Amino acid sequence: MNHEELLSKLTPEEKAALLSGKTVWQTRDIPRLKIPSIFLSDGPHGIRKQAGAGDHLGLNASLKATCFPTAATIANSWDPDLGEEIGKALGEEAAAQDVNIVLGPGLNMKRSPLCGRNFEYFSEDPYLTKELAAPYIQGVQEWDVAACVKHFAANNQETERLWIDVEVDEQALREIYLPAFYDAVKKGGVHTIMGAYNLLKGEHCCQSEYLLNDILRKEWGYDGVVISDWGAVHDTEKAANSQLDIEMSVTDNFDEYFMANPLKEKIENGEISEAVVDEKVVRILMLMMKLHMMDDTRKSGTYNTPEHRRKALEVARESVVLLKNEESILPFPKEKVKKLLIVGENAECVHANGGGSAEIKALYEITPLMGIKTLLGGNAEVK
């Protein structure tokens, strides 16, 4: 059946059900019509799929997967082709784990050194970010997996991240904060977009008429799915009448989400038009069809392949920035090194755990100290 036939067979209750989660990481399915659940996974520099009880911080067990270089690292390469290759590898690993949407890449600008998400974002430069974003997205989506660019928009600080009302003039918004999202839509063809926690012009971004309707839908012509950040919806009527399609959150009272039973009741009471919900349902069904979720032709991938490990290493090497190398002192000829001092706590730290939603359960991670000792063998003293 096409999306119009499916829509005609859905009850109002089932339509509302499609707009929110049944778990922290899955949307609701409609078994009688063979409409599947959408599985979302954090990243974006690796797949962190929680197979059992899900939680938004990744505290419960996750499947292990390849940890790829972060967006910040990829940006240091200045090479869009490398970003696309990482996107392809990430999409393949998502397909292997039956993940439908990868929550990334992050396109927010680096505006404060105190932003704990900076390593997930490409750059402080909007031009570099937009040039890298589109190929990365296309790489992911080659595998019948949707990328989900985030956080739309101007979500650039930790302090009051969930409630700050960002003050930015129109010129700065257009020149700094929106170009990467625009290219993600127009050049990258991104299938999904995640709204932000913060407010812009007095509206929460995930129920913003200005951002989601005026700019995203009308001005940019975006016809994909808009997903809330987890817990970023605050009002049933505003969210339903905005261009938000799916509400996700961090708690397990799924029936009480703003777009769950409260929405169903408002439709039944005539407070919210069923036609508004129909628009959202159509976009969700069309997304499922783009990803071949209902016709058994979805691509199947694999993960932790030798090719993926080589690609991760290649990107890491290409992203190293050496500021000065007087008299070509580097690299050290290992046969001449007898004593080597390694300075700094990061020599022994693993970084795949990243923090928060970017944490990856890496299959393995070699610290700089371990790598250096392995390379030198027992022929040098390493302190």
Side-chain angles (χ1 to χ4, degrees), residues 101-311:
I101 298 177
V102 176
L103 301 176
L107 302 184
N108 295 117
M109 293 293 102
K110 302 181 193 203
R111 302 295 283 169
S112 165
L114 301 180
C115 178
R117 309 293 292 272
N118 278 344
F119 68 97
E120 296 181 58
Y121 305 147
F122 287 104
S123 176
E124 68 276 19
D125 181 78
Y127 182 80
L128 177 59
T129 298
K130 75 182 185 67
E131 289 299 300
L132 292 168
Y136 188 102
I137 291 162
Q138 290 167 343
V140 170
Q141 295 187 166
E142 278 191 23
W143 283 91
D144 296 336
V145 173
C148 183
V149 294
K150 60 186 185 183
H151 310 85
F152 189 63
N155 195 205
N156 303 88
Q157 68 180 55
E158 296 303 306
T159 305
E160 295 290 337
R161 184 182 190 88
L162 278 65
W163 295 100
I164 186 74
D165 190 353
V166 175
E167 295 183 12
V168 54
D169 65 37
E170 191 72 14
Q171 182 177 359
L173 184 68
R174 298 286 181 163
E175 293 181 358
I176 298 173
Y177 298 100
L178 294 186
F181 288 102
Y182 178 82
D183 270 34
V185 170
K186 292 296 189 178
K187 293 183 180 179
V190 71
H191 293 325
T192 66
I193 292 176
M194 183 193 295
Y197 280 125
N198 55 287
L199 294 87
L200 184 69
K201 298 184 183 295
E203 296 179 303
H204 278 285
C205 290
C206 285
Q207 51 196 45
S208 168
E209 181 74 11
Y210 174 69
L211 264 184
L212 303 185
N213 187 40
D214 296 350
I215 293 178
L216 187 61
R217 299 291 191 197
K218 291 183 177 178
E219 187 177 322
W220 296 357
Y222 179 66
D223 62 0
V225 170
V226 178
I227 303 167
S228 77
D229 205 339
W230 270 235
V233 175
H234 302 277
D235 183 279
T236 297
E237 195 165 334
K238 288 181 179 178
N241 288 319
S242 77
Q243 292 297 308
L244 180 76
D245 297 308
I246 296 174
E247 176 194 6
M248 300 300 288
S249 195
V250 301
T251 56
D252 60 3
N253 58 331
F254 303 107
D255 289 341
E256 298 172 27
Y257 284 11
F258 291 99
M259 299 266 275
N261 283 351
L263 174 59
K264 182 187 72 171
E265 292 168 6
K266 285 185 177 291
I267 294 171
E268 291 171 346
N269 295 337
E271 297 176 60
I272 293 175
S273 167
E274 189 174 340
V276 167
V277 177
D278 286 352
E279 290 181 5
K280 303 177 191 298
V281 171
V282 166
R283 287 192 287 263
I284 292 168
L285 293 174
M286 290 182 70
L287 172 67
M288 291 180 178
M289 291 173 182
K290 286 176 185 175
L291 302 182
H292 299 286
M293 292 175 61
M294 294 189 283
D295 61 10
D296 295 322
T297 63
R298 188 169 183 257
K299 294 176 182 175
S300 59
T302 186
Y303 66 95
N304 191 35
T305 63
E307 181 183 2
H308 290 180
R309 293 196 294 270
R310 284 194 298 270
K311 186 56 62 178

Side-chain angles (χ1 to χ4, degrees), residues 363-379:
L363 289 140
Y364 63 89
E365 183 172 354
I366 299 171
T367 65
L369 183 61
M370 186 189 306
I372 290 168
K373 285 184 173 181
T374 302
L375 182 67
L376 292 176
N379 300 318

Side-chain angles (χ1 to χ4, degrees), residues 41-43 45-51 53 55-68 93 97 303-304 350-365:
S41 174
D42 263 330
H45 52 275
I47 301 300
R48 196 194 73 210
K49 179 180 180 180
Q50 290 185 291
D55 67 282
H56 74 294
L57 292 177
L59 301 177
N60 295 330
S62 302
L63 300 179
K64 290 188 175 182
T66 308
C67 183
F68 295 102
E93 299 215 353
Q97 296 194 20
Y303 66 95
N304 191 35
V350 293
H351 292 91
N353 55 8
S357 58
E359 179 177 355
I360 305 300
K361 306 296 185 184
L363 289 140
Y364 63 89
E365 183 172 354

